[in-house]
Structure formats: C-alpha cells, structure tokens
Amino acid sequence: MEKEFLQTINEHQGIIAKVCRMYCTEPADGEDLFQEIVLQLWKAWPSFNRQSKVSTWLYRISLNTAITGFRISRTRPVFRPLGFDNDNYAEPPPQRMDLQYAPELQLAISRLNKFDKSLLLLYLDDKPYSEIAEILGLSVSNVGVKINRVKKKLKEMLQP
C-alpha cells in the first residue's frame, strides 16, 4: 500500500505543487501546505475506491486542504516517515503560473477568494467541466456559470 501511494504521489506531485503555488505566496508556507496535503492524501488513501481518476481525487483533497486552511499544530504526533524526501524529487514540469501569466493577472488571481481560485486553477489546467464539477461538488451547468463570473471579476480587476 505504501509503495503504491508513494508512486502515485511521485507521478502526480505537479498537481500538489500547483495548488501550493496558487494558495501560498511564501515558499515556506507552500512547503508546509505540500506536506499537509500529502498527509491528508495518506489518511484518505485506504478509502480511495478508484471510482474517479487519481488526478480528480488528488485535486479534490488538495484543494479541500488548501481551502479549509491547513493548520500546523506543534502538538501533532510524530508520524513514521513514508520513505521519501521532497528534496529528492526532480522539479516537476508543470506550467507555473508565475512563468505563464503576466504579473497583473497573477495579482488579480491572488485577490480572488479561495473557491474562485480553485475553480480558476482547474479551468486553466484545461479540466473538462464534468471533472471540475466532480472535484468541487458542483453541477456541470453551475461550473460554467461560476467560471463566467470569475472571468468577469478578473476583467473588472484588470481594467484601468
């Protein structure tokens, strides 16, 4: 079970990294969020029934962890390491928002609420509306409505 989990995390770490970059401005916060997401994924791994794609499941847990606000408790018990170290991973090749989009757009995106950021992240990742709906727990038609509202918000923010 552990080996399969580690392989899944290694193959899909770009998803976790994207979520961390979307929700954290400081690298240290991003590292903390990455670790918290992996912890939540590990806790949920035994109940993952594979009815949805692994990437859909990863997005759902990653985004829920980022949206609900992760808390690092100093009293958290020490867990047995899973046998991997984040520093040993090669930098994943995902498209980075800070390289792909203009600073003005990045600033506008950072001002969106947490849910709108999630929606935009999935939209920019070219996820189909059906998968966005499954990840965020919306209807497919509601996804389209909400994406249009987010686009409108961004347009208003970017107008001089």
Side-chain angles (χ1 to χ4, degrees), residues 4-17:
E4 183 183 9
F5 174 76
L6 292 174
Q7 181 179 352
T8 301
I9 294 300
N10 192 30
E11 289 172 9
H12 298 284
Q13 66 179 322
I15 291 171
I16 302 168

Side-chain angles (χ1 to χ4, degrees), residues 59-156:
Y59 267 118
R60 181 180 301 141
I61 296 205
S62 299
L63 291 170
N64 283 337
T65 302
I67 288 171
T68 58
F70 64 100
R71 293 177 186 88
I72 303 298
S73 170
R74 302 212 190 289
T75 61
R76 176 177 286 155
V78 177
F79 292 98
R80 180 177 68 82
L82 295 175
F84 70 97
D85 181 5
N86 274 347
D87 295 335
N88 291 335
Y89 286 130
E91 180 62 28
Q95 297 105 1
R96 291 181 41 183
M97 210 175 84
D98 58 333
L99 300 176
Q100 235 182 347
Y101 303 107
E104 296 83 9
L105 179 58
Q106 293 175 48
L107 181 61
I109 291 171
S110 73
R111 292 180 179 158
L112 293 172
N113 67 44
K114 290 179 178 186
F115 182 82
D116 288 348
K117 281 183 187 179
S118 297
L119 186 66
L120 187 63
L121 173 74
L122 296 168
Y123 176 75
L124 292 174
D125 230 7
D126 293 325
K127 296 293 179 194
Y129 282 17
S130 59
E131 189 171 353
I132 294 172
E134 184 179 349
I135 291 168
L136 298 178
L138 302 170
S139 68
V140 175
S141 60
N142 202 0
V143 168
V145 169
K146 290 190 177 291
I147 286 174
N148 285 330
R149 287 182 185 160
V150 170
K151 285 180 182 180
K152 185 177 178 183
K153 279 183 198 177
L154 287 173
K155 187 176 182 179
E156 289 170 1

